[in-house]
Amino acid sequence: MEKLVVHGGSPLEGPLTVSGSKNTALPLMAATLLAEGPSTITNVPDLRDVRTFSKVIEVSGPSVDFDSAANTLSVDATTLETPVAPYELVKKMRASFYMLGALLGRCGEAKVSLPGGCAWGPRPVDLHIEGMKAFGADIELDEGYVYASTPPGGLDGGTFRLDPVSVGATINLLLAAVTARGGSKIENAATEPDVVAFGRALQEMGAQIDGLGTRTLEIQGVDQLNTGTFRNTPDRIELGTFILMAATAADPGTPVDIHEGTHEHLGPVFKERLAETGVDVSYDQHTVTVTRPGTLRPVSIETAPFPGFATDLQAQWTVLLGTTDGTATVTDTIYDDRFKHVPELQRLGMEIEVDGNTATVHGGAPLKGAKVMSTDLRAGVSLVMAGMIAEGPTDVLRVYHLDRGYENLEGKLRDAGISIHREEYDEFAEPDLETAS
Ligand code: EPZ
């Protein structure tokens, strides 16, 4: 098992560079299965989730070649003879469930494991399943698997309203609908930049989709899709994470540059809330420059589907609030209990109370390093962030969570002035009670 050891006290100086998006790369990989032949995706980050999904795809037949040094991933989907996504892989990464739409869209049948829960709750897939039924699929659930098939000739198409808005269900339903025999409509669809970029790639492959970026998507099925080369978008959550790290751990008055992000993908609400704290941010085409003021104002946030404040940035915002001179709240309206990072932040000295889906943060408490546990990738990165401003060393355990979604995080932060390194540790070693007492 590996951990990251962060020594607080050295300011984040930058510059930092944003890698390709995890949450756009994964649906783009699924989209390549819809065309019979080789497709290529560039700007793909070297992440555990990309490697896991590559294995899922290869189980079904296509070959995947990932040149991680060049961040280029190729999928040859000429043949796809095993429309199956097994539990052993799907349980490792929920987005493997995109195989349901890809396999139905490509070969009219699918056996896909249900994803199971995650660190912060059940995370159901009922919208994915009900939507596929509305489009004409025959769905059976048996022994933890979804068995799906289309009528001969493919899905008829249909209309389905998502409630609540769902990124994954929007993506899965698009994967199935683009090669349906008829037309389909997705109401209350997700408008995240990940979804829009994925939809545009499908259009480049020949799909007929209207309304990308709006809540209503209208799809006219086509007989076949063409292979292609697609450029993945920059990771908007990594960009937001780096901005909040600079706002939290940079020297006041010293600008920090963050390159290669697409700032429009942060959404207007994130930018508004950040400006309200008093952090000075300039947004250029290729660089976001962040300058932390002497003191930050406490600003409450509430997550919402894009263009609202991203739930994937609420843990990082919580750490920022710890450095302000007052009290503010973080409410997650998308997930009920995505606060597993709070007890770990409390171990570092943060003063936070959680009541339902709201965390109340009292800023100004000094932080002292400690051993803390990652529970998911965004919780894990919030612990690294807190460690950057804590006195002494912070050991962030179970760093495999961060490796799912942050490419070379410790290398990027070390080059930007942070004292951080990776170490092996034995999670099951007998505790050394001498030093512990
Ligand atoms: C995507 O997950 C992201 N993952 C998540 O990022 C992100 O937190 C989430 O969208 C919300 O923005 C990827 O893109 C790979 P949803 P997804 O379906 O698609 C409920 C990260 O850190 N729901 O938009 O699984 C669900 O419980 C990850 O990179 C149903 O009720 O999220 C939630 O409350 C973590 N039934 C809400 O919808 C369903 O069938 C939004 O979930 C599906 C979802």
Side-chain angles (χ1 to χ4, degrees), residues 22-24 26-27 49 93-95 98 120 122-129 162-171 190 192 194 235-237 304-306 310-312 333-336 338 376-378 404-405:
K22 168 174 83 80
N23 293 348
T24 306
L26 296 173
D49 276 9
M93 188 192 67
R94 174 183 169 84
Y98 294 157
W120 68 80
R123 292 186 74 189
V125 287
D126 56 313
L127 295 175
H128 300 240
I129 290 167
L162 295 174
D163 182 16
V165 173
S166 162
V167 168
T170 302
I171 289 167
E192 271 70 1
D194 319 312
D235 195 305
R236 68 193 189 98
I237 303 302
F306 195 86
T311 173
D312 293 348
T333 68
I334 296 198
Y335 295 109
D336 293 338
R338 194 179 182 175
D376 73 80
L377 72 159
R378 310 306 174 186
R404 291 191 54 182

Side-chain angles (χ1 to χ4, degrees), residues 148-170:
S149 61
T150 69
L155 289 174
D156 303 322
T159 295
F160 189 69
R161 176 174 181 78
L162 295 174
D163 182 16
V165 173
S166 162
V167 168
T170 302

Side-chain angles (χ1 to χ4, degrees), residues 238-252:
E238 187 184 30
L239 172 61
T241 301
F242 287 168
I243 290 172
L244 295 177
M245 283 180 168
T248 299
D251 263 342

Side-chain angles (χ1 to χ4, degrees), residues 296 298 318-328 349-352 360-366:
L296 269 70
T318 301
V319 177
L320 176 83
L321 289 182
T323 68
T324 65
D325 59 357
T327 296
M350 281 194 67
E351 293 174 6
I352 314 175
T360 300
V361 183
H362 306 283

Side-chain angles (χ1 to χ4, degrees), residues 186-244:
I186 304 171
E187 295 174 338
N188 204 29
T191 61
E192 271 70 1
D194 319 312
V195 176
V196 174
F198 160 70
R200 287 197 181 127
L202 288 175
Q203 289 173 328
E204 286 173 40
M205 295 172 76
Q208 291 182 21
I209 306 169
D210 287 322
L212 282 175
T214 75
R215 291 279 180 233
T216 301
L217 299 177
E218 303 209 63
I219 305 104
Q220 185 53 46
V222 294
D223 289 341
Q224 71 167 35
L225 293 177
N226 311 311
T227 61
T229 296
F230 312 102
R231 180 163 177 78
N232 183 26
T233 57
D235 195 305
R236 68 193 189 98
I237 303 302
E238 187 184 30
L239 172 61
T241 301
F242 287 168
I243 290 172
L244 295 177

